[in-house]
Amino acid sequence: MTESTLRAGLIGLGAMGRNHARVLNLLDGVDLVGAADPSPNAVAPHGVQVVPDLEALLKLGVDYVVVASPTGLHEELGLRLADAGVHALIEKPLAPSLEASRRLVEAFAAKGLVGAVGHIERYNPALQSLRTRLEAGELGEIYQIVTRRQGPFPGRIADVGVVMDLATHDIDLTAWVTGRQYQTVSARTASRSGRPHEDMVSAVASLEGGLMANHLVNWLSPFKERSTVITGERGSFIADTLTADLTFYANGQAGTEWEALRAFRGVSEGDMVRYAIPKREPLLVEHERFRDAVEGKQSDIVTLQQGMRTVEVAAAVLRSARDDTTENVA
């Protein structure tokens, strides 16, 4: 594809959809030509034309579409876009089930189209820097990764629970940042708010190479926390993805004369380094990468196959909690 201006469309003008519209209007080489939303009161920012449905959006002539609709509509909309020969960036999770995800993967592959999933945490500056440092061996052998993602309930979410909506962030980033695939998961969920879906989950997983993972996710905390802690033979990295800060706590090298501590066969506190890293907006970087992929350039996107794998692990988390089992996902 030549580097002429791409014509982009958007489906969904909720909170995330409006953010996509804002970024699409800033994106070099892209023209946001329309947004589809069934609400008669829907308004797109920057005077972008609003149409009622996908059919009307396709009539505007689009090269690619960003799908920011409720998760339950992802399969239907994605399959229609594939049938129309239109590339798509689909918000996470890819679909509400593994079977639906697989149908999307197959449909886009059959048409030779670019499909991606909006796992935005991959483009967080702290996690980008963390992954680079892990690949360079700065932590040595990796022992454990612990994520915490909690905060108040977002009123816009109605069709899935906290596992598919929030925990999929942690599942995807864990596999991506460590380069390891999940093998088993064991989880507990709870619904404390009276809604039909779970609003709390605690999961323990094993990944390739003996790596342990723990995920704590909920919609019931009166504060927001987005923390990723990776511990290895040389210390620990802590990434705060709310502030995009990355800190390294090294194992101590100095000896001690304190008898009680000398007898302890663990590690001691060493130096702490907080890295100064460039902090570009993750959503903008995500859109740049997808635009480049549509233009035929080599680009780091979250493929539909990777998005399907995340849904597969999330489904195993839900089965484990439901059946009180440890689920294999290798």
Side-chain angles (χ1 to χ4, degrees):
M1 181 174 291
T2 63
E3 294 188 20
S4 58
T5 300
L6 293 170
R7 293 173 62 82
L10 171 67
I11 301 176
L13 284 169
M16 197 63 201
R18 290 192 296 273
N19 275 320
H20 281 294
R22 172 182 57 81
V23 170
L24 283 166
N25 272 285
L26 300 172
L27 199 58
D28 291 337
V30 173
D31 182 17
L32 178 59
V33 299
D37 194 290
S39 171
N41 300 317
V43 177
H46 310 289
V48 173
Q49 181 179 355
V50 178
V51 295
D53 52 34
L54 175 57
E55 182 179 358
L57 186 64
L58 292 174
K59 289 179 179 178
L60 298 178
V62 290
D63 297 303
Y64 74 83
V65 167
V66 177
V67 179
S69 66
T71 301
L73 298 175
H74 286 186
E75 180 187 8
E76 174 192 350
L77 294 170
L79 291 177
R80 290 174 63 188
L81 287 168
D83 186 62
V86 176
H87 310 288
L89 170 60
I90 302 173
E91 260 302 338
K92 64 84 203 161
L94 173 57
S97 70
L98 178 59
E99 294 74 20
S101 299
R102 184 174 291 113
R103 287 189 286 269
L104 286 168
V105 169
E106 292 171 351
F108 277 79
K111 289 295 188 76
L113 295 167
V114 178
V117 186
H119 281 291
I120 194 172
E121 288 285 47
R122 288 205 194 184
Y123 306 102
N124 188 287
L127 294 178
Q128 289 263 326
S129 179
L130 173 56
R131 184 172 189 249
T132 298
R133 294 177 185 280
L134 291 177
E135 289 177 337
E138 293 185 19
L139 196 58
E141 183 182 353
I142 304 171
Y143 299 152
Q144 183 184 51
I145 178 167
V146 177
T147 69
R148 296 193 304 273
R149 185 174 301 269
Q150 47 195 342
F153 177 75
R156 68 185 186 277
I157 305 299
D159 59 342
V160 293
V162 77
V163 171
M164 281 294 179
D165 183 70
L166 273 192
T168 47
H169 278 302
D170 295 304
I171 292 167
D172 179 75
L173 77 84
T174 294
W176 173 75
V177 82
T178 64
R180 312 280 186 91
Q181 291 296 317
Y182 282 79
Q183 294 186 323
T184 66
V185 294
S186 179
R188 295 291 182 271
T189 60
S191 180
R192 302 296 186 186
S193 57
R195 299 180 181 92
H197 300 288
E198 80 286 346
D199 45 34
M200 303 183 76
V201 61
S202 179
V204 178
S206 63
L207 284 77
E208 295 170 324
L211 178 63
M212 294 189 298
N214 301 77
H215 305 306
L216 177 65
V217 189
N218 73 59
W219 274 328
L220 295 177
S221 298
F223 62 92
K224 288 189 73 172
E225 182 182 30
R226 305 287 186 266
S227 172
T228 299
V229 181
I230 300 185
T231 299
E233 64 177 323
R234 296 177 184 166
S236 295
F237 280 110
I238 299 179
D240 183 334
T241 54
L242 282 177
T243 59
D245 288 325
L246 178 64
T247 306
F248 176 60
Y249 291 84
N251 292 342
Q253 300 297 321
T256 178
E257 296 181 2
W258 188 354
E259 183 65 30
L261 291 183
R262 281 193 303 177
F264 178 63
R265 294 178 176 269
V267 299
S268 59
E269 293 181 8
D271 294 332
M272 183 271 283
V273 179
R274 181 176 172 183
Y275 298 102
I277 53 179
K279 295 184 179 181
R280 301 189 68 222
E281 182 183 359
L283 188 61
L284 176 58
V285 177
E286 179 180 78
H287 274 278
E288 289 174 346
R289 301 288 173 83
F290 185 72
R291 173 205 61 199
D292 291 349
V294 172
E295 290 177 341
K297 301 174 182 176
Q298 185 69 28
S299 186
D300 181 20
I301 61 173
V302 184
T303 66
L304 296 187
Q305 290 89 344
Q306 292 169 345
M308 179 176 68
R309 175 61 175 174
T310 295
V311 171
E312 182 178 19
V313 176
V317 168
L318 290 170
R319 288 198 308 273
S320 171
R322 181 195 65 199
D323 299 336
D324 193 18
T325 58
T326 296
E327 293 288 315
N328 292 316
V329 287

